[in-house]
Amino acid sequence: MTTQIIRAACPHDCPDTCAMLVTVRDGRAIEIKGDPTHPNTAGVLCTKVSRYLERTYHPDRILHPMRRIGRKGEGRFERISWDEALSLIAGRLQKIAARDARAILPYSYAGTMGMVQGESMAMRFFNRIGASRLDRTICASAGSVGYKYTIGAKIGTDTEQFENAKLILIWGGNPIASNLHFWMKVQEAKRRGAIVVAIDPYRSLTAEKCHHHIAVLPGTDASLALGIMHVLVRDDLLDHDYIADFTLGFEALRERVSEWTPQRVAATCGISVQEVELLARLYGETARRNEPVAIRVNYGVQRTHGGGMAVRNITCLPALVGAWRHPAGGVLLSSGDSFPKQVNQLERPDLAPLDPQRPPRTINMSTIGDDLLRETAPAFGPKVDAVIVYNANPVAVAPESAKVARGFARDDLFTVVLEHFRTDTVDYADIVLPATTQLEHTDVHATYGHLYIVANNPAIAPLGEALPNSEIFRRLAARMGFDETCFADTDDDLAAQAFDPQDPKASHFDWAHLKSSGWIKLQMPAAPFAQGGFPTPSGKCEFYCERMVAAGLDPLPAYIPPYESPASAPELASMYPLAMISPPQRNFLNTTFVNVQSLRDTEGEPHLEIHPLDAAGRGITDGDIVRVFNQRGEMRVRARLNDGARQGLVVALSIWWKKLAPDGRNANELTSQRLTDMGRAPTFYDVLVQVEKAAPSP
Ligand code: SF4
């Protein structure tokens, strides 16, 4: 009997990127736990990933290639060999590429965040074909663009420093559910006397545990940030030296925020004037005492029409009060740009053929519903003939789900899906390929929530005939006759290329060593902008941003109302008066883990949280099945009456697999494909609906 402990990394779309230890006995993983020596993980995994062995050895794993034998959407398949699967795929792609390779579309996101099993060999393959490019916007691009207009890059406060802050604003996130290790730092800060404020339309598990909860209406966060700036200027709670030395455009900002009185902000956000004043004065006065004030802004903020601007506005706050002077001050959206990733080396865009007759075409993953239904047209390019889906589940996740499903149901569309399980998307595949889980392959991870590079070693042999994504695309490349040497790179070769060792932050990166040590921290200053040095064109924090003028945007912080709200769309609201948001369910991660029985048992069934007064007006009582509907679609779920959802708001925690919901639908039946102000991102939380008691089933 042999027992080994293998160093691994959590691959999921979560900012915590935990370092894990997997115990393997006689080739079988028998325990998984957080690495107690990793400063961020501190020996703790969330409940979801604590069940990773249940997921890995799940009886429903796809363990061999399959070909569709039923109708699209039916999910009926027969087993085929790898040889047959590769031949079928290569043959079909070669035919399409001979006409126009841009009719082939990769579709992938963060099913694994690993740099090897993510976009490395896969993108080499698609670049070499000359396939359409995918704009990967579905989660974070609005906020990322807004943040970068102000700060220059996604670099912010080190998560580990938050425990030293004296005031923490948790803005648009629910870390207990989706950023657990950050929450552990917040708890430590609370023990040390910090005040914690949640800003969120919904009284989430996190908001319940904060000192203050400010329940703004969805999509109005930008206005609240303008109001805070108004009070900071009005009451002279400013760090004049920091502003003079390290910012650009303060005078224009001063004039802009003068319009945003607490009264106007309160009316816009649906909160009280006292709440605006309280928040602004807490922020300004704590900083005035030279105590660190830190903001954790999260992606919930940026899922509405003006989401990019909202993040930009929030990101202006620390420079006004000089919060960046402290290691524990500032703001964190993502640490992603701290990592010197060698994306071009991994993905090799230089492999793409240059054809002036066929200029590169990019398709936005957030409008896949519309784009799969488009015909060939000069403005669009060729109709999409083939989609290769990996690390993603668009039929359940992409907005306006009915259209997405209709697109994937096209008989003339060739769909290949690399997966672990028979997801909603797999049901529409022509060919299904079995992919390995994180315990079965090699990977290396950057993260967007801390500053560590984390290694993942394979703990067990692949189950069944499963293969790593990298190997699947390697074999497909060979089958297509691609003989460039980069297609022979092993997973270790790819991992070794992931970071630039010439960059001082990662000069100690050495893959061979990292595999055995497990993780290393980037070498960065504790307070990245204490002395300015913002990675913007001006080198300053840009309150006024010339790049926004070039992009046709307001160069100053502004408020862009939601597409769908009673204030901005009164006619629509007369039919669909309730705002709906669909934040993450605690025990699911996007759609990953929904099919793990023990986690689904904990979550119960899809439900809608509705305020008792909104329910009473509709004759709805707790536990009723309700019909939630708007101009795009409908779903039927069980109503839960509570005041966690403020009046006028309903909350549909997500994302359920459609086929595991009693009515075969989820919240994305109701979401729209309209895009944010910047970053071409979806507006998942910019939705009006009506709710009624559902007629009993016949
Ligand atoms: S999902 Fe997040 S918190 Fe859970 S184990 Fe993975 S990285 Fe850690």
Side-chain angles (χ1 to χ4, degrees):
M1 193 179 282
T2 59
T3 303
Q4 280 179 291
I5 308 281
I6 306 295
R7 291 191 172 278
C10 175
H12 291 294
D13 186 1
C14 168
D16 296 21
T17 312
C18 288
M20 309 193 297
L21 300 175
V22 184
T23 305
V24 180
R25 184 173 298 156
D26 289 341
R28 188 174 175 90
I30 56 167
E31 186 185 37
I32 189 162
K33 60 182 189 182
D35 181 347
T37 67
H38 183 249
N40 197 65
T41 308
V44 176
L45 300 180
C46 64
T47 314
K48 302 174 280 263
V49 175
S50 300
R51 310 282 165 81
Y52 203 74
L53 301 188
E54 185 180 343
R55 185 174 187 277
T56 301
Y57 293 113
H58 196 296
D60 295 346
R61 273 285 299 274
I62 298 170
L63 294 177
H64 45 73
M66 299 187 293
R67 168 176 44 202
R68 180 170 61 86
I69 52 172
R71 280 184 292 107
K72 292 210 173 187
E74 217 174 46
R76 289 203 298 126
F77 300 97
E78 67 177 4
R79 180 175 183 170
I80 56 175
S81 68
W82 267 109
D83 187 55
E84 197 177 357
L86 294 173
S87 291
L88 284 168
I89 297 167
R92 190 75 178 258
L93 296 187
Q94 275 164 335
K95 268 194 204 137
I96 296 169
R99 293 196 303 273
D100 189 335
R102 298 173 304 167
I104 299 167
L105 177 69
Y107 195 99
S108 66
Y109 199 66
T112 172
M113 301 287 288
M115 295 176 72
V116 174
Q117 306 307 335
E119 302 306 337
S120 62
M121 196 58 80
M123 282 312 298
R124 289 180 182 185
F125 176 77
F126 291 113
N127 282 327
R128 174 65 179 77
I129 292 181
S132 277
R133 296 169 182 172
L134 183 72
D135 203 358
R136 292 182 171 83
T137 57
I138 199 124
C139 181
S141 60
S144 300
V145 173
Y147 193 94
K148 288 199 253 190
Y149 279 138
T150 308
I151 301 291
K154 287 184 290 179
I155 296 171
T157 312
D158 182 348
T159 299
E160 286 174 60
Q161 293 289 343
F162 272 79
E163 62 190 19
N164 299 316
K166 286 291 173 249
L167 173 69
I168 299 174
L169 309 188
I170 300 176
W171 203 322
N174 178 12
I176 291 180
S178 50
N179 192 185
L180 180 66
H181 297 81
F182 165 74
W183 179 247
M184 288 158 60
K185 303 291 177 201
V186 174
Q187 284 182 299
E188 178 57 27
K190 274 169 83 178
R191 283 191 283 273
R192 297 178 188 182
I195 301 288
V196 185
V197 184
I199 302 162
D200 192 327
Y202 172 52
R203 198 175 67 237
S204 65
L205 291 171
T206 301
E208 275 178 0
K209 292 180 172 53
C210 293
H211 296 96
H212 303 281
H213 171 213
I214 298 184
V216 293
L217 290 166
T220 63
D221 306 81
S223 164
L224 181 57
L226 287 162
I228 297 172
M229 290 192 256
H230 175 99
V231 175
L232 295 177
V233 171
R234 183 197 70 192
D235 297 354
D236 195 22
L237 294 166
L238 300 168
D239 184 331
H240 291 283
D241 290 343
Y242 195 92
I243 291 169
D245 293 344
F246 305 128
T247 73
L248 184 73
F250 175 69
E251 287 309 320
L253 179 76
R254 178 202 291 272
E255 196 176 324
R256 170 61 58 89
V257 302
S258 68
E259 305 159 12
W260 285 93
T261 62
Q263 289 73 18
R264 181 180 175 191
V265 170
T268 306
C269 297
I271 56 176
S272 68
V273 172
Q274 290 74 15
E275 285 175 299
V276 182
E277 294 277 358
L278 168 93
L279 182 58
R281 292 204 63 89
L282 253 181
Y283 190 73
E285 287 170 2
T286 309
R288 170 60 54 90
R289 291 196 298 273
N290 207 20
E291 294 178 337
V293 293
I295 303 173
R296 178 66 166 111
V297 58
N298 223 314
Y299 291 105
V301 163
Q302 46 102 70
R303 303 204 198 288
T304 61
H305 181 195
M309 189 66 89
V311 171
R312 161 160 168 71
N313 293 5
I314 293 164
T315 308
C316 289
L317 293 169
L320 285 172
V321 298
W324 289 115
R325 293 184 190 277
H326 302 272
V331 57
L332 176 68
L333 173 71
S334 160
S335 58
D337 290 342
S338 304
F339 294 84
K341 298 175 198 163
Q342 301 203 108
V343 174
N344 284 353
Q345 196 152 331
L346 288 175
E347 300 184 9
R348 296 292 304 272
D350 57 298
L351 293 170
L354 289 175
D355 181 350
Q357 301 303 314
R358 294 173 181 171
R361 186 260 294 272
T362 300
I363 287 185
N364 186 348
M365 70 188 309
S366 301
T367 55
I368 188 70
D370 280 342
D371 291 339
L372 284 183
L373 295 172
R374 287 188 211 284
E375 295 296 327
T376 299
F380 179 63
K383 182 178 184 174
V384 177
D385 287 332
V387 189
I388 319 297
V389 181
Y390 54 103
N391 302 334
N393 183 12
V395 171
V397 172
E400 208 171 349
S401 201
K403 277 194 180 171
V404 181
R406 218 181 317 144
F408 275 100
R410 272 176 40 204
D411 275 329
D412 62 339
L413 180 72
F414 179 62
T415 302
V416 179
V417 182
L418 286 62
E419 252 304 349
H420 303 143
F421 296 104
R422 293 187 180 206
T423 62
D424 291 321
T425 304
V426 164
D427 286 347
Y428 290 84
D430 292 283
I431 305 287
V432 184
L433 301 176
T436 45
T437 68
Q438 187 78 342
L439 299 196
E440 300 154 67
H441 57 225
T442 295
D443 220 325
V444 65
H445 288 254
T447 173
Y448 57 99
H450 55 66
L451 297 172
Y452 293 85
I453 299 171
V454 189
N456 186 74
N457 294 289
I460 58 173
L463 299 193
E465 296 180 12
L467 290 174
N469 289 350
S470 53
E471 179 61 16
I472 294 173
F473 286 106
R474 208 176 274 125
R475 291 188 188 189
L476 271 174
R479 200 57 71 106
M480 300 274 288
F482 301 158
D483 56 6
E484 288 81 358
T485 54
C486 68
F487 289 109
D489 280 353
T490 65
D491 287 359
D492 279 325
D493 294 336
L494 292 166
Q497 295 163 32
F499 302 100
D500 179 4
Q502 303 303 317
D503 188 304
K505 294 197 289 296
S507 58
H508 54 321
F509 170 67
D510 169 2
W511 174 240
H513 183 255
L514 187 71
K515 280 169 69 167
S516 54
S517 67
W519 43 267
I520 50 169
K521 189 170 188 181
L522 296 179
Q523 298 169 145
M524 290 185 62
F529 307 125
Q531 297 299 318
F534 291 91
T536 55
S538 64
K540 307 221 168 168
C541 174
E542 296 195 352
F543 299 142
Y544 176 89
C545 178
E546 199 63 42
R547 288 166 290 153
M548 296 181 76
V549 179
L553 297 164
D554 189 331
L556 285 167
Y559 171 61
I560 298 167
Y563 290 117
E564 298 189 7
S565 74
S568 58
E571 208 172 305
L572 191 67
S574 68
M575 293 179 284
Y576 310 113
L578 299 169
M580 186 190 84
I581 58 172
S582 46
Q585 197 118 5
R586 184 178 188 179
N587 289 292
F588 303 156
L589 207 163
N590 303 324
T591 55
T592 309
F593 299 104
V594 181
N595 65 323
V596 175
Q597 189 67 47
S598 62
L599 295 170
R600 199 162 74 254
D601 287 347
T602 308
E603 295 297 358
E605 61 185 337
H607 66 268
L608 188 80
E609 295 192 34
I610 182 167
H611 192 279
L613 292 175
D614 288 327
R618 292 167 172 80
I620 295 167
T621 54
D622 195 46
D624 282 347
I625 299 293
V626 292
R627 176 174 169 254
V628 191
F629 61 99
N630 65 13
Q631 69 277 31
R632 290 176 288 270
E634 65 173 60
M635 65 170 177
R636 281 159 208 258
V637 290
R638 198 171 295 282
R640 280 191 197 164
L641 272 56
N642 63 55
D643 62 359
R646 53 170 294 161
Q647 217 181 331
L649 174 78
V650 291
V651 179
L653 295 177
S654 289
I655 303 174
W656 281 81
W657 285 21
K658 299 205 289 188
K659 65 167 120 176
L660 294 179
D663 75 338
R665 300 187 174 116
N666 71 15
N668 282 322
E669 303 287 337
L670 301 151
T671 54
S672 93
Q673 293 182 76
R674 294 178 89 171
L675 300 176
T676 49
D677 53 341
M678 47 188 94
R680 292 163 44 80
T683 51
F684 285 117
Y685 299 172
D686 194 332
V687 177
L688 284 175
V689 298
Q690 180 56 292
V691 180
E692 64 182 18
K693 192 165 169 166
S697 306

